[in-house]
Amino acid sequence: MKKYIFFIVWLILAAGLAFVAFSSEDSAAILAEVEPRSYAVSFEKNVRIKELYVVPGEQILKGDPLIRVERPDLLIEKENKQNKLTLLKANLNKRELQKENKLYLNDLEYDLKIKQLENKIQEIKASLDQQQRIQEDFKKLDWQKQVTPDSMLLSKLQLLEGEKKLLNREYQLKRKEINSNYALEEANASAEIDLLEKEIQLLETEEMELTQYARVNGTIGSIHVETDQLVPAYTNLLSVYENNPTIIRAFTNEHNEIELESGSVVYIESTNRQYRIKGTVIEVGSRIIQYPERLRTFDQMPSWGREIFIEIPEESKFLNGEKVFVILQP
């Protein structure tokens, strides 16, 4: 008899719960949760933990240091590039010295040849001047004999003058050739040096990012690493929760006929105190998923619906994780 009474009571209770649950499907108020906005600190490469500046639960301010790591691959890559840069700069200086030496030798060779030519030219000019003076002396003596300049000397003088011009042109061409050859090498080396310096600068920027600072005022969540631990890429090292929550996560029952879209204004109301503010729907889920247990009306009765994310002002008085009501039709 007791079994039958228990069974009947259970049926009545289940029917009541089912009625309440079904009747709540069309309710304009739904249970929601203040979503803690958080972010995780991780790196794209393997890192070694060098120092932890915080502990779980610690209150932090924006800009506070959180963690410092070391990237073995970054140290090796930076050292290799710096060595290559040093070698390139040394080779560039060496090429510059080689160019200066070639230009100096070209100058010496030119000076030597030009001096030899000028000496010969001066000798011929001296001979021609002497012949000119003799001719003038004959004129003074009123001699009829005419002394004409030596045609051989004049021809030789013209040849030497032409050779001098040719030598000067060859000298300028050789100088231009030396500068052109080394200019191309220097341009290639300089371009490679500029590229390496930019790459090293990027590595130094990455090196600066090995110390992570807090982006917001908040609280340290979980810390998953220890000092000197080698951590694989993309591993979450620690999490930071923002102090002032700005997101409400709600679920509207799959049978709810109320239409919501991004930009819709709703009211958020505390479940345990008289406090209400406006919120704005920023995203409506496109698929039906199961409610989390914390937001179920009855723990043992699973429910399904669409996720709704609502933005609230940063200066709200709600706490991270607090349960609230979202009033869809105020």
Side-chain angles (χ1 to χ4, degrees), residues 13-79:
L13 181 60
L17 291 175
F19 174 77
V20 173
F22 180 79
S23 63
S24 67
E25 288 174 353
D26 292 326
S27 173
I30 56 177
L31 194 62
E33 182 180 19
V34 179
E35 185 85 357
R37 180 171 284 187
S38 64
Y39 70 91
V41 175
S42 63
F43 293 89
E44 296 179 357
K45 299 289 181 70
N46 297 345
V47 296
R48 185 181 299 278
I49 309 302
K50 298 302 292 182
E51 193 165 0
L52 287 165
Y53 300 106
V54 291
V55 295
E58 182 179 347
Q59 290 288 321
I60 55 168
L61 299 176
K62 184 178 180 179
D64 286 349
L66 303 176
I67 189 171
R68 181 171 66 87
V69 301
E70 177 184 84
R71 263 183 52 192
D73 69 299
L74 182 61
L75 294 174
I76 295 171
E77 188 177 359
K78 183 180 175 183
E79 186 176 354

Side-chain angles (χ1 to χ4, degrees), residues 13 29 39 45 72 86 92 98 123 164 198 308 316:
L13 181 60
Y39 70 91
K45 299 289 181 70
T86 302
L92 186 61
Q98 289 174 344
E123 288 176 2
K164 182 180 177 182
K198 288 177 182 177
I308 302 173
S316 76

